[in-house]
């Protein structure tokens, strides 16, 4: 039987979309500078804390840009201690894949999928972020082929817990040219995460967007710890002191380049209790103070944050409130960033 798909329309290639929303030399220089800041943190050349923070899913351009302008003001005040990379996740759907599927699919969350409008919308929003605030952002690489539409705008990519075992994600992470965080899988097996880092750091030849391509590997591929679930669906954290020591020892055993870990303070580390992110972030900072090895390993934190506390249903219409996972609101976010800066020597 032939494939059961209706081919709707041919979409523009990334080069065509990039031409419609181009970057000038000034913006390209900003991205290069931001990329280098992150690389310096991951390689230990910089002692700053990397803070990857923003909405669970970027669902509304106006709200996202308002958040970014607020974040820019705070970032400038803590820049000597913390380097902030905003989360602008545009491919992010609800966990079960039903309902809202992210801005890429639905630039208007209350309307049906429109992939062409979505591609243009995410490119437009990311371009506004760098042009108006100087931020170059983090995305989750949910669909590896889509990365090219934003590849000149992003400074960080995360490979999610449900994707990290997939070979295509691993190989593409090895060729994107910017740091890639590889999350532990939902079941928590750290060996899977470490294997994904090995694959991403290694040279490889593979098929990408209809081409045979060759990658030198990504020396800045690293771990993201996000907690896990057991077979009964119960959440378990993996951010504690003992967990971090295990990851440190795994890096030493495997001899990987640039040992580094980012701790995701939400998801199963918090049991999706979004306000717990505050306590968890401070607990991780305490562990860094207690151990030089952990401090050398844990380069940063990932936090889900938006303008308004919590989450809502799509049709509730509360401006700046997440329609996917619950997030910290702005007041709590601002205070947390300043508190973290005060914990850094």
């Amino acid at each position: 039987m032939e494939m059961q798909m209706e081919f709707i329309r041919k979409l523009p290639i990334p080069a065509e979309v990039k031409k419609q929303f181009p970057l000038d030399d000034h913006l390209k220089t900003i991205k290069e500078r931001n990329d280098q800041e992150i690389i310096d943190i991951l390689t230990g050349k910089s002692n700053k804390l990397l803070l990857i923070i923003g909405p669970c899913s970027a669902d509304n351009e106006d709200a996202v840009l308002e958040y970014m302008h607020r974040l820019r003001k705070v970032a400038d005040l803590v820049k000597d201690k913390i380097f902030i990379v905003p989360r602008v996740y545009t491919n992010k759907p609800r966990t079960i894949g039903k309902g809202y599927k992210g801005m890429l699919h639905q630039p208007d969350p209350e309307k049906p999928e429109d992939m062409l409008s979505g591609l243009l919308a995410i490119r437009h929003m990311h371009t506004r972020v760098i042009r108006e605030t100087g931020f170059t952002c983090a995305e989750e690489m949910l669909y590896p082929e889509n990365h090219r539409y934003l590849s000149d705008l992003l400074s960080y990519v995360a490979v999610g817990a449900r994707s990290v075992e997939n070979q295509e994600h691993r190989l593409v992470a090895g060729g994107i040219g910017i740091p890639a965080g590889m999350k532990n899988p939902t079941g928590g097996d750290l060996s899977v995460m470490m294997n994904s880092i090995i694959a991403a750091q290694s040279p490889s030849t593979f098929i990408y967007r209809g081409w045979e391509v060759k990658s030198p590997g990504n020396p800045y591929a690293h771990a993201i710890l996000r907690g896990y679930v057991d077979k009964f669906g119960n959440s378990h954290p993996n951010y504690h002191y003992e967990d971090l020591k295990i990851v440190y020892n795994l890096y030493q055993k495997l001899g990987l380049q640039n040992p580094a870990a980012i701790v995701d303070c939400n998801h199963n580390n918090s049991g999706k209790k979004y306000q717990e992110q505050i306590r968890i972030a401070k607990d991780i900072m305490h562990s860094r103070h207690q151990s030089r090895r952990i401090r050398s390993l844990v380069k940063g934190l990932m936090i889900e944050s938006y303008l308004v506390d919590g989450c809502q249903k799509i049709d509730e219409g509360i401006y700046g409130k997440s329609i996917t996972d619950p997030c910290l609101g702005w007041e709590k976010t601002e205070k947390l960033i300043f508190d973290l800066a005060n914990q850094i020597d």
Side-chain angles (χ1 to χ4, degrees), residues 111-252:
K111 292 183 179 179
E113 291 94 333
D114 183 340
M115 299 295 293
L116 177 57
S117 295
L119 284 173
L120 300 179
I122 67 174
R123 177 81 190 178
H124 181 262
M125 181 169 61
H126 271 283
T127 305
R128 279 192 67 193
V129 171
I130 183 174
R131 181 171 290 120
E132 296 182 22
T133 70
F135 283 129
T136 44
C137 302
E139 272 269 14
E140 180 172 339
M141 191 168 65
L142 194 64
Y143 311 105
E145 285 204 353
N146 295 346
H147 178 78
R148 286 284 291 169
Y149 289 100
L150 300 173
S151 59
D152 57 336
L153 287 162
L154 302 178
S155 285
Y156 186 93
V157 158
V159 176
R162 296 165 190 83
S163 304
V164 76
E165 296 187 67
N166 180 272
Q167 188 69 352
E168 183 181 14
H169 284 79
R170 294 175 172 189
L171 297 178
V172 175
I176 58 176
I178 56 175
M182 316 298 283
K183 288 196 172 187
N184 65 264
T186 54
D189 188 340
L190 296 180
S191 68
V192 170
M193 178 184 70
M194 301 310 293
N195 286 340
S196 75
I197 298 170
I198 293 171
Q201 288 193 357
S202 301
S204 56
T205 301
F206 56 100
I207 297 172
Y208 185 66
R209 298 190 60 86
W211 287 76
E212 180 181 1
V213 299
K214 187 174 183 180
S215 160
N218 187 345
Y220 312 115
H222 58 276
I224 301 178
L225 300 174
R226 47 88 72 199
Y228 61 98
V229 292
D230 62 26
K231 63 182 179 180
F232 302 108
N234 300 312
S235 289
H236 297 275
N238 59 9
Y239 66 85
H240 291 301
Y241 184 91
E242 294 77 13
D243 299 301
L244 300 175
K245 286 203 305 184
I246 290 170
V247 176
Y248 176 89
N249 290 333
L250 285 171
Y251 264 114
Q252 299 307 305

Side-chain angles (χ1 to χ4, degrees), residues 52 87 89 92 140 156 158-161 183-184 223-228 236-239 244 261-272 276-277 280-281 284 298 300-304 325:
I52 302 165
R87 287 172 54 109
Y89 282 20
K92 183 94 179 214
E140 180 172 339
Y156 186 93
V159 176
K183 288 196 172 187
N184 65 264
I224 301 178
L225 300 174
R226 47 88 72 199
Y228 61 98
H236 297 275
N238 59 9
Y239 66 85
L244 300 175
I262 304 295
V263 182
D264 181 344
C265 297
N266 212 15
H267 296 97
N268 293 117
N269 270 329
S270 69
K272 294 197 175 181
E276 286 293 290
Q277 294 182 101
I280 292 166
I284 295 158
V298 178
L301 306 173
M302 184 176 285
I303 291 170
E304 291 190 320
D325 286 349

Side-chain angles (χ1 to χ4, degrees), residues 5-163:
M5 297 182 189
E6 177 188 353
F7 287 75
I8 300 170
R9 59 187 167 187
K10 182 74 172 177
L11 293 171
I13 63 173
E16 293 168 337
V17 176
K18 288 177 176 177
K19 187 175 181 180
Q20 190 169 343
F21 301 98
L23 296 186
D24 59 32
D25 289 342
H26 173 64
L27 298 180
K28 290 176 182 177
T29 300
I30 290 174
K31 175 176 153 47
E32 290 172 5
R33 185 182 66 229
N34 292 348
D35 291 353
Q36 193 59 52
E37 281 260 20
I38 299 170
I39 289 169
D40 287 349
I41 293 170
L42 293 175
T43 58
K45 293 179 182 177
S46 169
N47 291 324
K48 293 181 185 180
L49 181 77
L50 181 62
L51 182 59
I52 302 165
I53 188 167
C56 171
S57 184
D59 57 355
N60 178 292
E61 181 175 306
D62 290 339
V64 168
L65 265 293
E66 180 174 334
Y67 178 92
M68 295 301 152
H69 281 283
R70 293 187 190 186
L71 192 64
R72 178 76 269 166
K73 294 177 182 177
V74 177
D76 288 342
L77 294 173
V78 299
K79 62 183 180 181
D80 292 338
K81 295 183 176 181
I82 298 175
F83 186 72
I84 291 180
V85 179
R87 287 172 54 109
V88 181
Y89 282 20
T90 59
N91 289 205
K92 183 94 179 214
R94 293 185 180 276
T95 300
I96 58 174
K98 293 179 64 178
Y100 178 63
K101 291 184 173 65
M103 186 179 283
L104 170 70
H105 289 259
Q106 293 167 268
D108 185 334
E110 297 192 64
K111 292 183 179 179
E113 291 94 333
D114 183 340
M115 299 295 293
L116 177 57
S117 295
L119 284 173
L120 300 179
I122 67 174
R123 177 81 190 178
H124 181 262
M125 181 169 61
H126 271 283
T127 305
R128 279 192 67 193
V129 171
I130 183 174
R131 181 171 290 120
E132 296 182 22
T133 70
F135 283 129
T136 44
C137 302
E139 272 269 14
E140 180 172 339
M141 191 168 65
L142 194 64
Y143 311 105
E145 285 204 353
N146 295 346
H147 178 78
R148 286 284 291 169
Y149 289 100
L150 300 173
S151 59
D152 57 336
L153 287 162
L154 302 178
S155 285
Y156 186 93
V157 158
V159 176
R162 296 165 190 83
S163 304

